[in-house]
Amino acid sequence: MTDSYKLIKDCLKGKPAAQRALYELFAPAMLGVCYRYTKSRADAEDVLQEGFIKVFKYLHQFEGRGEPGAWIRRIMVTTAINYLKQNIRYQSELSYPDMPLHPVSDDNPEVTLDAKELAELIRQLPPGYQTIFNLHAIEGYSHVDIGKMLGINEGTSRSQYSRARALLISWLEKRSETQKKTSYANP
Amino acid sequence: MPTHDFEKQVQQKMDELKFVPSEAVWEEVAKQIRERRDRRRLLVWWLLFPLLAGGSFGIYITNKHIASAAKPGKPTHAMATTITKAPASSSPGNHEAGGTVPVVINQQNIPDSNNLFQVARNGYIAGIRRKLPTGDKTGLTNETVVVAGINLVAEPVPTSVNMDAMKPARVSPLPAGDYAFVIEASPADPSSLKPLLAVLAAKADSAEAVKKPAQHEKKMEWVLTAHTGGAGISSGFSLPRTSPAAYDNAFTGSSLSNITYPGTTQAAVRPPSGIKPGLAFTASLSARRFLGGGFSLEAGVQYSYYSTSLQAGTIVDSSATVRQGAQRVSSYYKNSGVENKYSNQYHFIEVPLRAQLQLGHRSPFSFNTGLSIGRFIGSNALQYDAPDNIYYKDNTLFNKTQLNMSAGFDIRFLQNKPLSFEAGPRLQYGVTRLFKQEIYGDRHLLFAGLEMRMFFGKR
């Protein structure tokens, strides 16, 4: 990752080639992050674009502590959350009703899907569930932090997460069963 | 299986999730980086330019001052403009022939002094004496007086004076202080003094001419200013955009779009029209105060009109009003692709504050920079609603108070006449966003054009 620190130094000197190189180094993974939070590829690219504009704007604030990738990823996640809050297409669906706490199941099924298939399943979750699942399960934010980020109660975050998790697991199990049936039918 | 194993698996899978973004994403990011860099550079120059101009002018003045102090024949200080006749010693006949008496020249005695300006300009001078402090009856001391290399105190004055012969009599740089021209001459032939007196008077005039601007410099004047040129909507400091539209950042989400308009459909999505620059003009009356050293400050009141244009599409007038934010809208333009040019007009009342620096003494050229605080007073401008793809009027979306920065150069005509004019190019940039940021993003009003100024006031 020494390369990325060097690239950041060069970017701060205003070298266009370094800016392009930094973008190319991180853009594919960051588009994956944005993709998980949105419902369409175009929206994901919009978030990526806004996120990278912020990255270059605030690059001088990156003090070299920690991984550049993690810093850029945090910016992408924040940008994605803001995008969801501001975009009318998500606004109506992005609600976090207070619900009774749903017990977190102990189910830990094996995930046999590839990354793209799993991402598609996550994106099929309702936007509220999708966001909280992404933030907690994948980014590792605590429910307290998620509550602050989304302006909701910690309990609501927990409840929504457990429901999202249960829903996702049920879908995974269904797919697994379907795959088994298909394999029996076509040995 | 350990707890959270599911989450770990999901995390690992998602870390592998990568897509190659389309080239358009980088193009837009690179464009934004460029614009931000250009904005920074322009801002730095904007701030530096007045400093550089002021600094250069200061250096120029200082150098001129030093050069003039070092140059023979050029007194460092303006000379006294009043030259008085010494009492009891200037009347012919009262003195012995061949003796010397001090004759203090009274400027009013000197005929045709204006004609001798050229001589004075060449730097020849007959005699100089230091003036005593106020209260001294003679007003003179007996310091050395030099005319054409002759010490007039010690030697008799020649009965006739050859101007050319006086050329070597350049006076060395003088110490600081007020000076009076004094000649000591034989009373036997006072008329022979005339050429000398004339030279001295001319020099006195010259000194006065140098001093005059400072003494009679205008303190204040009234200025009528008019600007005319083009206005556009810029993205940051970049030039007015015609394509894609200034509206293209509209609606990443806002309550404005949460309505259904009669006659609109969600199906056909057409990109919003580009916004083209349009005519702009301003008129102002201001008072200008001179602060010395070519600097002046100015404040006044200004009316400003700016316009832009777009292709608005088909007009829809509906009898049914629909709620649009805080107001109701019954008339709007549907972005149908039909070419229907519409002129957005913006009206402001502004209070311009302007600093001006004359680039050299008596130079007709000047540089100016300024700030103005404006208040939005009205507009017929159309706003764009992306989800419904319509244009409608809503003046609540404007930032009502606008701060503008400006800079320009001027050339002044008829400089020494009671009524003079100034003209030159001018650039103005709206520091404040024209619209509320959440609607269109970073959009500013830009003006480029010519200014004409007319000055009147007492000298």
Side-chain angles (χ1 to χ4, degrees), chain A residues 67-79:
Chain A
E67 285 294 320
W71 181 75
I72 293 173
R73 186 178 174 135
R74 277 201 300 278
I75 290 179
M76 292 297 162
V77 170
T78 313
T79 308

Side-chain angles (χ1 to χ4, degrees), chain A residues 19-20 23 27-29 31-32 35-36 41 45 48-49 52-53 56-57 73 86-88 108-111 113 115-116 118-119 122 137-138 161 165 168-169 172, chain B residues 1-11 13-26 28-29 32-33 36-37 251-255 257-258 387:
Chain A
Q19 289 163 345
R20 177 75 200 237
Y23 170 81
L31 185 55
Y35 190 77
R36 283 189 281 110
R41 169 77 182 239
E45 290 203 340
L48 182 75
Q49 180 182 303
F52 263 103
I53 289 168
F56 287 111
K57 187 174 178 182
R73 186 178 174 135
Q86 289 172 0
N87 199 302
I88 194 70
N108 283 302
E110 193 179 349
V111 181
L113 302 178
K116 178 100 183 359
L118 182 59
I122 292 170
I138 304 172
Y161 175 71
R165 188 180 193 273
L168 195 61
I169 287 174
L172 282 169
Chain B
M1 247 182 216
T3 324
H4 301 312
D5 190 51
F6 173 69
E7 279 79 2
K8 272 186 187 166
Q9 289 182 72
V10 172
Q11 267 183 9
K13 293 277 180 189
M14 289 302 94
D15 284 345
E16 295 164 12
L17 187 66
K18 289 180 182 176
F19 299 101
V20 177
S22 65
E23 189 59 23
V25 176
W26 168 250
E28 186 58 30
V29 172
Q32 295 282 341
I33 295 171
R36 212 162 56 81
R37 186 194 56 208
F251 291 85
T252 51
S254 115
S255 58
S257 58
N258 202 11

